[in-house]
Amino acid sequence: MLRRNLGVVLSVLFLIGGLATSFTSVTAQEATPAGEPFKVGFVYVSSVGDLGWTYAHDQGRIALEEAFPNIETGYQENVPENPADAERVIRQFAQDGYDLIFTTSFGYMDPTINVAADFPDTTFIHISGFKTAENVGTGFGKIEEPRFVSGQLAGAMTETNQIGYVAAFPIPEVIRGINAFTLGVREVNPEATVRVVWTNTWFNPQQERAAAEALLDSGADVIAQHQDTPGPQQAAEDRGVYGIGYNADMSPLAPNAVLTSAIWNWGPYYIDIAERVMNGTWESEQYWGGWQDGVVDMAPVADFVPEEIRTAIEEEVARFKSGEENIYTIFTGPIADQTGTVRVPEGQAMTDEELLSMDWFVEGVEGEIPS
Amino acid sequence: MLCIAGLKNWSGASANRATEASPLRSDKQASRSAHDSRLTTHDSPCRLSVLPSRRLDMTDILTPAFLISVLAAAVAAGTAILFACLGELITERAGVLNLGIEGIMLVGALSGAGACIWSGSAWVGAVVALAAGASMAAVHALLCVGLRANQVVSGLALTIFGAGLSAFLGRDIVGVPPPSAFRRIDIPVLAEIPVLGRILFQQSALVYISIALVVFLWWYIYRTRAGLRLRAIGERPEAADAMGIDVARLRALYVIAGGALAGLGGAAISLGTNPGWTEGMTAGRGWIAVALVIFAAWNPARAAVGAYLFGGVEAGQFRLQTAGVDISPFFLNMLPYLFTILVLVLSTREATRRLLGAPAALGRAYVREDRG
């Protein structure tokens, strides 16, 4: 009987131990000189090892830490998006004296606003949302810009004129990305089409790969993705065709396939915000940064891309970096939808509001937006 | 169109696209063939038979070529689940429920990828994944067989622990490509068989091993003396004990062996379909494996059917989507679970339970003092 109880106790202890390791909070080692460090906290929705969304944010955190010797950062991973958990974690950071807190997923919007009301001296930045307060700003990037240029590259490289796009969820952010990509493809290669499949998951390596294989079997020879794992790129690699990665440079995992990747580069943005908060010049804002601001970028074009194409793409990249082109020049009419009806008249650019609520595909996309 | 300035070269390029004589085109061709020559063994048949981009109807879709491609993809995608499912199957046959498969797969996936990066060999990775899976399961064996702790609690703990441990230890190899992986190997002669060759004999070494394992386990469980003992300790441990079988020792052994297979299942992802380690990369496949054991009614052959069915639904739904067939992906995603629930409902009745062949002592710790 005693032995049985011991077993129960042991297994419960084991369970608690397991829970503790799965929900980690890390404070980076500080090597601060004299004086109070400026503390910056990050709330992550997945783990820094996902090689996707959170990985990209964590690269930004590391860049921030390297930029200022007196900054100390801390982060918590795998924080669920439900109000109770998110609010508890954000509140903990605020109570622990963090001066600036980044909450990096859409679901943290209301929890961030709620906690911010109780900590007026702390600055909060919510990524990808739309609610602000005196001490809460929002931040996001125009990943559509590098997507557009990567579309041009895909359009130039396709042989079958069929490009596959593995997409996570039918929400405006993803639809906008597909449209920008397709406009890029069609500008270079009006005969090419972009076929979309929905996976209904952000992160599922094998399923994303299966989706890419279905596209490859239907004749696609370039695979683009709005997914968080390199699964689709690896499928392209195994078939000896091309791919366009997302989030981070995915070429190490599919070196013969990846033409380039549309990537997030949060470092410059985090550094800018931290600097302004530290010297007291920050005011609540809704930041939607573009390529020119450096928050989004494109990985280097693969060296197996022919010289002429690579040069033309690099020139295009330069135009975006200089601000000569941007998301509004991409989404300037005439733009027709899938039925051929012109949705954006000639010479007119779409407004932020129209872009942020986009729920239709441009001409050249094959696939449907599930209702 | 847009951004006219500076894009003259683009329109030039696309106009030239039609004429094979264009320098851009020929350059691209040259680059492409150089690109291909590195990868000739994996050359895809898709480029030979490009489907038209118009809407397809059912008769276009349900061609033999379509079905064969779905089945081939099903076998490839189902293999990781199949290994894990076979592992859980022998564990449950021995009377122990192990809900830690998901965590064991993650640890297997990490250690497989890690060992491959360290050693340069995917085979070393596979062996290390087996060992890592076995060590994880040894904890479960110690708790549930040795100390007769609650199997459900211990299994859940193992899953959570495995997820955390693999995330923690895997930090440094996120995104590091393994130097080798289990790639497609066409088996000479057999790969040439129409239909079956494409489905079964143009796969990776791990797929062949998993198929051999299904055959072996079926024979082992139903046709050997050792298999009879395995069934005995899961059905009537008292009787097995009376026969002089060391129930605890044997159960622990099968729990550990099952864990080893689940570990290999993880490596089938990190060294097979998706080479490299990313955190949480099994994405719930361990749970599907546990559910499939019930679906399979504890029979290895039916486990293969279940795993391939799951792989087939996954591969098929995306192919239907690309063909423009309007079937909700949510509905298709739901199917394997729906089957499992159905089987579970059926198996609550004692009669159907016996019919399905659930081990009678499953989930019940064997306490020697319980005897008469």
Side-chain angles (χ1 to χ4, degrees):
Chain A
M1 206 53 204
L2 180 73
R3 205 169 164 210
R4 193 185 170 84
N5 285 336
L6 179 68
V8 173
V9 170
L10 267 178
S11 54
V12 168
L13 278 178
F14 185 45
L15 181 64
I16 294 166
L19 280 166
T21 51
S22 75
F23 200 63
T24 51
S25 159
V26 182
T27 306
Q29 290 298 318
E30 74 268 43
T32 36
E36 276 287 291
F38 184 80
K39 287 168 78 178
V40 186
F42 291 82
V43 183
Y44 295 148
V45 69
S46 51
S47 64
V48 299
D50 69 355
L51 203 63
W53 178 254
T54 296
Y55 174 81
H57 281 288
D58 200 54
Q59 294 299 308
R61 180 191 66 81
I62 293 166
L64 173 65
E65 199 160 73
E66 280 167 359
F68 301 101
N70 63 329
I71 275 187
E72 180 191 317
T73 67
Y75 62 85
Q76 181 136 5
E77 312 171 71
N78 298 316
V79 178
E81 291 188 285
N82 65 65
D85 278 318
E87 204 169 312
R88 178 177 52 75
V89 172
I90 299 166
R91 190 173 295 278
Q92 190 64 49
F93 272 111
Q95 273 167 358
D96 288 350
Y98 280 81
D99 305 283
L100 170 61
I101 298 165
F102 290 98
T103 56
T104 65
S105 191
F106 185 78
Y108 302 149
M109 184 160 65
D110 289 331
T112 305
I113 296 287
N114 292 345
V115 176
D118 298 338
F119 295 90
D121 297 332
T122 308
T123 305
F124 297 82
I125 302 289
H126 177 235
I127 302 297
S128 78
F130 54 82
K131 288 187 184 172
T132 57
E134 192 114 309
N135 59 336
V136 183
T138 63
F140 208 32
K142 294 165 180 162
I143 194 77
E144 294 76 18
E145 295 176 0
R147 279 203 192 283
F148 173 80
V149 179
S150 68
Q152 294 177 320
L153 180 53
M157 294 298 283
T158 179
E159 298 269 319
T160 61
N161 285 343
Q162 286 190 48
I163 293 163
Y165 200 113
V166 184
F169 290 97
I171 58 173
E173 178 195 341
V174 177
I175 293 167
R176 208 162 55 232
I178 294 168
N179 285 339
F181 179 83
T182 306
L183 290 172
V185 168
R186 301 271 283 192
E187 183 174 282
V188 170
N189 184 349
E191 287 142 49
T193 54
V194 176
R195 186 173 269 159
V196 174
V197 293
W198 301 104
T199 61
N200 294 303
T201 172
W202 291 113
F203 182 93
N204 190 329
Q206 285 203 304
Q207 205 163 331
E208 292 169 32
R209 187 193 164 102
E213 282 173 346
L215 288 163
L216 291 164
D217 282 347
S218 78
D221 67 348
V222 183
I223 297 292
Q225 65 178 78
H226 197 139
Q227 296 284 167
D228 289 349
T229 88
Q233 303 304 309
Q234 291 173 323
E237 172 93 3
D238 285 353
R239 296 286 182 91
V241 297
Y242 301 129
I244 306 278
Y246 174 54
N247 276 321
D249 186 353
M250 286 181 168
S251 61
L253 286 157
N256 300 307
V258 174
L259 299 169
T260 184
S261 306
I263 60 180
W264 291 98
N265 184 21
W266 296 101
Y269 171 64
Y270 287 161
I271 290 169
D272 174 56
I273 294 276
E275 198 160 29
R276 284 191 281 144
V277 173
M278 277 192 287
N279 62 29
T281 57
W282 182 86
E283 274 179 21
S284 179
E285 62 181 4
Q286 294 234 28
Y287 177 87
W288 195 25
W291 209 335
Q292 193 183 10
D293 312 298
V295 66
V296 295
D297 203 350
M298 205 174 89
V301 175
D303 55 13
F304 54 78
V305 171
E307 193 62 41
E308 288 100 324
I309 296 176
R310 193 163 60 232
T311 315
I313 291 293
E314 277 161 6
E315 282 165 18
E316 186 76 347
V317 169
R319 282 190 284 276
F320 273 94
K321 280 189 171 166
S322 72
E324 185 188 326
E325 287 184 43
N326 55 40
I327 193 168
Y328 308 104
T329 60
I330 295 171
F331 286 104
T332 294
I335 300 175
D337 66 14
Q338 281 177 303
T339 63
T341 316
V342 174
R343 295 286 283 255
V344 186
E346 182 147 14
Q348 196 172 315
M350 291 178 77
T351 63
D352 280 0
E353 201 179 319
E354 285 168 343
L355 286 169
L356 291 171
S357 62
M358 206 168 201
D359 60 355
W360 51 277
F361 277 147
V362 299
E363 194 170 25
V365 179
E366 288 183 1
E368 274 166 65
I369 299 172
S371 45
Chain B
M1 286 179 70
L2 24 132
C3 334
I4 304 103
L7 277 170
K8 296 257 160 60
N9 51 343
W10 283 122
S11 21
S14 42
N16 284 339
R17 192 169 295 277
T19 64
E20 286 293 319
S22 148
L24 183 61
R25 185 72 173 192
S26 54
D27 202 53
K28 204 169 91 186
Q29 293 282 29
S31 131
R32 169 69 68 136
S33 42
H35 187 68
D36 279 351
S37 64
R38 274 176 288 169
L39 295 157
T40 37
T41 46
H42 309 299
D43 205 356
S44 127
C46 72
R47 264 190 261 128
L48 304 176
S49 59
V50 175
L51 292 177
S53 53
R54 70 185 167 84
R55 261 311 177 74
L56 302 168
D57 61 38
M58 263 309 183
T59 49
D60 282 328
I61 295 157
L62 296 174
T63 57
F66 176 84
L67 293 175
I68 290 168
S69 94
V70 169
L71 288 172
V75 170
T79 295
I81 296 174
L82 180 56
F83 275 120
C85 186
L86 292 173
E88 178 70 11
L89 192 146
I90 58 171
T91 306
E92 290 192 13
R93 274 283 183 187
V96 180
L97 183 69
N98 186 354
L99 297 180
I101 295 294
E102 175 80 358
I104 297 175
M105 279 182 89
L106 278 169
V107 170
L110 169 74
S111 44
C116 177
I117 289 166
W118 168 75
S119 71
S121 157
W123 289 102
V124 172
V127 170
V128 171
L130 277 166
S135 332
M136 286 285 285
V139 177
H140 191 63
L142 176 76
L143 284 169
C144 300
V145 181
L147 298 169
R148 298 193 285 274
N150 185 310
Q151 298 180 4
V152 174
V153 177
S154 169
L156 290 175
L158 208 60
T159 284
I160 300 164
F161 174 69
L165 183 73
S166 60
F168 176 69
L169 296 177
R171 285 277 142 91
D172 294 336
I173 64 160
V174 167
V176 177
S180 77
F182 291 99
R183 305 261 178 219
R184 193 177 120 184
I185 302 168
D186 293 1
I187 294 189
V189 187
L190 291 178
E192 307 298 319
I193 304 173
V195 186
L196 267 189
R198 172 78 188 88
I199 297 169
L200 289 178
F201 301 111
Q202 298 181 15
Q203 302 280 5
S204 76
L206 285 181
V207 174
Y208 304 137
I209 292 174
S210 71
I211 294 170
L213 195 63
V214 169
V215 176
F216 169 76
L217 280 180
W218 186 88
W219 171 79
Y220 182 85
I221 291 172
Y222 296 109
R223 293 286 182 271
T224 69
R225 181 174 281 271
L228 184 64
R229 284 199 190 134
L230 164 61
R231 285 183 285 153
I233 58 172
E235 295 287 350
R236 299 262 328 251
E238 309 83 2
D241 195 4
M243 275 167 64
I245 297 171
D246 186 342
V247 174
R249 193 177 135 267
L250 211 51
R251 278 189 166 183
L253 266 177
Y254 283 112
V255 170
I256 291 169
L261 289 182
L264 187 59
I269 301 176
S270 71
L271 292 172
T273 53
N274 302 69
W277 165 251
T278 32
E279 223 180 292
M281 69 188 304
T282 52
R285 264 140 223 273
W287 293 110
I288 293 163
V290 172
L292 280 179
V293 173
I294 302 162
F295 172 83
W298 295 268
N299 177 330
R302 271 183 276 186
V305 173
Y308 296 154
L309 188 68
F310 181 84
V313 166
E314 195 171 82
Q317 62 156 324
F318 293 125
R319 281 170 173 76
L320 290 176
Q321 256 197 68
T322 60
V325 177
D326 198 16
I327 293 184
S328 165
F330 295 109
F331 176 74
L332 289 167
N333 275 338
M334 196 178 72
L335 282 180
Y337 305 97
L338 197 67
F339 282 131
T340 303
I341 291 170
L342 263 176
V343 175
L344 275 173
V345 168
L346 288 176
S347 66
T348 49
R349 283 186 55 223
E350 189 56 35
T352 25
R353 214 174 131 88
R354 207 164 304 143
L355 193 74
L356 284 167
L362 177 59
R364 228 178 57 212
Y366 175 60
V367 186
R368 211 164 183 189
E369 292 80 16
D370 284 358
R371 270 188 309 168

